[in-house]
Amino acid sequence: MQKNASDLELRQLLNPANVLTVSRLVLLPPLIVALTRREGVAAAVLMLVVWGTDLVDGWLARRLGTAGPQGQTIDTLVDFTVIFGLFVAAYASGLIPAYQFLIICGLKLVTFLLQLSTLAARHFRVIATHLSKLAGALAYAYAMLLVAILLTGPLPPMQLAQTVIFVLLALAIAANATECAFGVCARPRP
């Protein structure tokens, strides 16, 4: 009986949406290499695939009826790892000024630690704040813009866009961290 229950749990955990989510971790090392070697086309292709898997995994989980707290927790952990890894690689390759790197990664780390601190208390359900999706979307937009700058060079309009998205991202992450700290949830995730 115990073996059947654990087999069922493993099959539920290894559903297509979660496999798609974890695939981002497999794509992260070659993306980091492409960024640090400043291989723009490879970085762009890999970034588009990473972003695409992030767009599709949640939809697929809902479509297949496999959405649940474990998948959302996996998604949160993977997203943090991917975004943090991308920003470290972008900083190492000179695409992000030090102050932007420190602000974004510092705020991202605080938000992530606040989310982790609540997981056990919420039976492994991730806090969904009003700004979680916005902060995530802006983080991926910022990473995509960095790859575009790698492709085009530091053109003035791109540098302006980088500054604008940086400010919006920093504000969204800070507000998201504040919501996490005070337990303000947009909706409980199933």
Side-chain angles (χ1 to χ4, degrees):
M1 178 77 173
Q2 182 71 1
K3 184 170 174 24
N4 289 341
S6 60
D7 285 347
L8 178 62
E9 288 174 5
L10 183 60
R11 276 184 277 145
Q12 288 173 339
L13 193 58
L14 293 176
N15 66 61
N18 288 347
V19 170
L20 193 58
T21 299
V22 173
S23 74
R24 289 197 293 279
L25 291 178
V26 174
L27 295 168
L28 183 59
L31 180 52
I32 287 172
V33 168
L35 281 172
T36 56
R37 289 185 179 172
R38 301 182 74 79
E39 296 170 352
V41 173
V45 169
L46 289 164
M47 189 65 218
L48 285 172
V49 173
V50 166
W51 178 60
T53 64
D54 189 47
L55 291 175
V56 173
D57 62 357
W59 172 84
L60 185 61
R62 288 185 298 278
R63 178 94 175 173
L64 297 175
T66 58
Q70 293 89 358
Q72 291 162 349
T73 300
I74 291 168
D75 189 61
T76 297
L77 294 171
V78 168
D79 281 345
F80 173 79
T81 304
V82 168
I83 293 296
F84 210 82
L86 287 174
F87 289 158
V88 169
Y91 174 69
S93 63
L95 292 170
I96 301 177
Y99 78 94
Q100 289 184 10
F101 172 75
L102 292 172
I103 290 170
I104 289 172
C105 287
L107 289 170
K108 217 44 195 146
L109 186 58
V110 167
T111 303
F112 181 69
L113 292 173
L114 287 167
Q115 287 177 322
L116 279 182
S117 71
T118 63
L119 281 179
R122 295 176 51 87
H123 305 289
F124 295 94
R125 293 176 187 253
V126 176
I127 289 179
T129 67
H130 294 92
L131 295 170
S132 296
K133 293 263 188 224
L134 176 62
L138 284 169
Y140 274 111
Y142 187 75
M144 295 284 283
L145 180 66
L146 294 174
V147 171
I149 289 171
L150 184 59
L151 285 168
T152 65
L155 303 173
M158 298 295 263
Q159 291 175 318
L160 177 62
Q162 181 180 0
T163 302
V164 169
I165 293 176
F166 160 73
V167 169
L168 294 173
L169 175 58
L171 290 172
I173 296 171
N176 189 28
T178 303
E179 285 185 322
C180 286
F182 293 105
V184 179
C185 296
R187 66 201 181 318
R189 290 187 174 179

